[in-house]
Amino acid sequence: MMSNDVTLLAIESSCDETAAAVVRNGREVLSDIISSQIDIHTLYGGVVPEIASRKHVEAVVPCVEQALREAGVTLSGLDGVAVTCGPGLVGALLVGVSFAKAFAYSAGLPLVGVHHIDGHISACYIEEPSLEPPFLCLVASGGHSHLVRVADYGVYEILGQTRDDAAGEAFDKVARALGLGYPGGPAVDRAAREGNDTAYAFPQAKISEGGYDFSFSGLKSAVLNELNRQRMAGEEPRVSDIAASFQRAVVEVLTEHLLAAAEETGIRTLAIAGGVASNSCLRERLETACAERGLTFIRPRPVLCTDNAAMIGAAGYYAYLRGVRSDLALNAEPNLSLGTRERRYHAGKQT
Ligand code: KG4
Ligand code: ZN
């Protein structure tokens, strides 16, 4: 009997995780394999692109084999291959893209190139099977911070974005300065639990004329200056207080922007995605704020927030349904933008 099910093999290799997953109908995760390179990059205090590419080459075949085995799916059970084609580190992306092209070609399967941020947002469909657009999503990762109106599947209107560092990047840089190591987000999150979040009044990451845009570089500099001042004064740096105060400043601006956008657009379903969405303080703050306002709040479990291939399978499914097919000319695009429908909102006006 013919089935209407669509089962995709999904591959993600844009940064420092090699990941493969088998996803049915965009929401049912049959397997989700992540091979992390964190241990090796930790030695260098951050991701070394050349090492990342080489590690992807080693890991991609075993990851895919394990994903198929755990899902109990053979080639004949697959309907297509979805792969992250950008944005990200070009050498890292190329490994996944090249593998996916070869795999799809030899198996006679259609290929679907997926935008990494489309993937992060689509993790919300896995977390909440009843979720449908429209909704608002705050996507905050190591490379991106976007406030997005999800108009339809794969159709994004960017309401605000970072002017400089991404939120995750700010966490990573502050963690490094505090001696907390890499990756910084989880380390700051942990250290902040022991600290006083009102110990320092760091500047908020707001832009006065920027609508929903963010800027984290001023906040980051203020933290580094305070740390230097303490060191110069011969004081023992108050690491957990600084971490907690910094984290509060980031969480405040992200929360305020998301809530203000909900108010302005009248959209009552809010979501968060990307690595920073696993931050415990951000999750709690939004959970409370949404409950108080009667808004629906979707927060993917942490393993769906950080890089994974299941989210690529979810985004790939909706692209597949829209008829998106990539050919063998599919390339890694390190600076791929999030769709062509980017418009900016400010005080209700579109410019
Ligand atoms: O989405 P992701 O895994 O990779 C990119 O697409 O960049 O995000 C990684 C980023 C890193 O900057 C990491 O420090 C941050 O997410 N992150 C966190 C937490 N867990 C990961 N930031 C704050 N709190 C966390 N618990
Ligand atoms: Zn990511």
Side-chain angles (χ1 to χ4, degrees):
M1 204 179 74
M2 287 285 284
S3 126
N4 289 329
D5 285 342
V6 175
T7 306
L8 298 181
L9 169 67
I11 296 163
E12 153 66 41
S13 71
S14 66
C15 190
D16 59 349
E17 333 271 0
T18 319
V22 178
V23 180
R24 185 169 289 154
N25 302 329
R27 310 222 182 198
E28 193 187 339
V29 180
L30 305 186
S31 63
D32 186 14
I33 309 302
I34 303 174
S35 165
S36 173
Q37 307 177 359
I38 282 179
D39 289 352
I40 182 142
H41 297 294
T42 298
L43 300 174
Y44 303 94
V47 179
V48 182
E50 174 69 21
I51 294 177
S53 310
R54 288 168 188 267
K55 288 286 160 191
H56 285 308
V57 171
E58 286 171 18
V60 68
V61 172
C63 272
V64 168
E65 280 175 344
Q66 195 182 344
L68 293 173
R69 201 168 48 240
E70 284 193 13
V73 169
T74 56
L75 285 191
S76 61
L78 290 175
D79 298 290
V81 181
V83 64
T84 307
C85 57
L89 300 170
V90 68
L93 288 164
L94 267 174
V95 177
V97 168
S98 307
F99 177 89
K101 287 202 282 194
F103 186 94
Y105 178 71
S106 58
L109 290 169
L111 177 68
V112 181
V114 173
H115 192 292
H116 184 75
I117 303 298
D118 187 9
H120 272 304
I121 295 169
S122 300
C124 298
Y125 300 128
I126 299 174
E127 183 62 41
E128 179 45 67
S130 67
L131 175 66
E132 286 178 18
F135 61 97
L136 293 179
C137 188
L138 171 74
V139 203
S141 71
H144 303 269
S145 302
H146 287 321
L147 178 55
V148 174
R149 186 171 80 90
V150 182
D152 200 346
Y153 293 101
V155 181
Y156 301 115
E157 182 179 355
I158 297 179
L159 306 183
Q161 57 193 313
T162 181
R163 295 277 181 94
D164 37 59
D165 292 352
E169 201 178 343
F171 270 97
D172 292 336
K173 287 178 178 167
V174 164
R176 194 179 178 143
L178 290 174
L180 294 172
Y182 162 87
V188 171
D189 198 341
R190 269 193 307 276
R193 273 178 220 144
E194 316 293 318
N196 170 7
D197 68 359
T198 55
Y200 301 98
F202 291 132
Q204 274 222 349
K206 266 196 194 153
I207 301 226
S208 50
E209 289 302 312
Y212 296 117
D213 279 357
F214 320 101
S215 161
F216 294 106
S217 68
L219 168 62
K220 182 191 66 192
S221 305
V223 171
L224 300 189
N225 289 342
E226 175 58 28
L227 193 59
N228 281 338
R229 192 200 59 74
Q230 293 185 10
R231 288 199 175 119
M232 301 284 279
E235 298 166 16
E236 183 67 26
R238 292 163 56 192
V239 171
S240 46
D241 285 349
I242 297 178
S245 303
F246 159 76
Q247 178 172 273
R248 181 173 61 90
V250 175
V251 166
E252 277 306 312
V253 76
L254 295 177
T255 304
E256 275 179 26
H257 279 27
L258 185 55
L259 293 174
E263 184 119 314
E264 187 183 347
T265 59
I267 295 176
R268 302 194 55 79
T269 302
L270 310 189
I272 54 175
V276 179
S278 49
N279 183 266
S280 60
C281 178
L282 180 66
R283 294 167 81 87
E284 279 163 26
R285 179 83 176 72
L286 276 167
E287 188 98 66
T288 310
C290 289
E292 281 167 7
R293 292 165 178 76
L295 301 169
T296 303
F297 179 46
I298 314 291
R299 40 161 185 62
R301 67 209 86 139
V303 70
L304 287 173
C305 290
T306 45
D307 287 349
N308 65 87
M311 68 185 197
I312 303 303
Y317 169 74
Y318 290 104
Y320 179 96
L321 290 190
R322 291 194 301 279
V324 173
R325 299 291 182 271
S326 306
D327 61 21
L328 293 179
L330 181 69
N331 205 350
E333 294 193 51
N335 300 315
L336 193 62
S337 76
L338 191 62
T340 52
R341 297 191 35 165
E342 295 189 17
R343 281 174 295 170
R344 205 172 283 268
Y345 262 86
H346 183 52
K349 292 192 289 287
Q350 285 174 33
T351 51

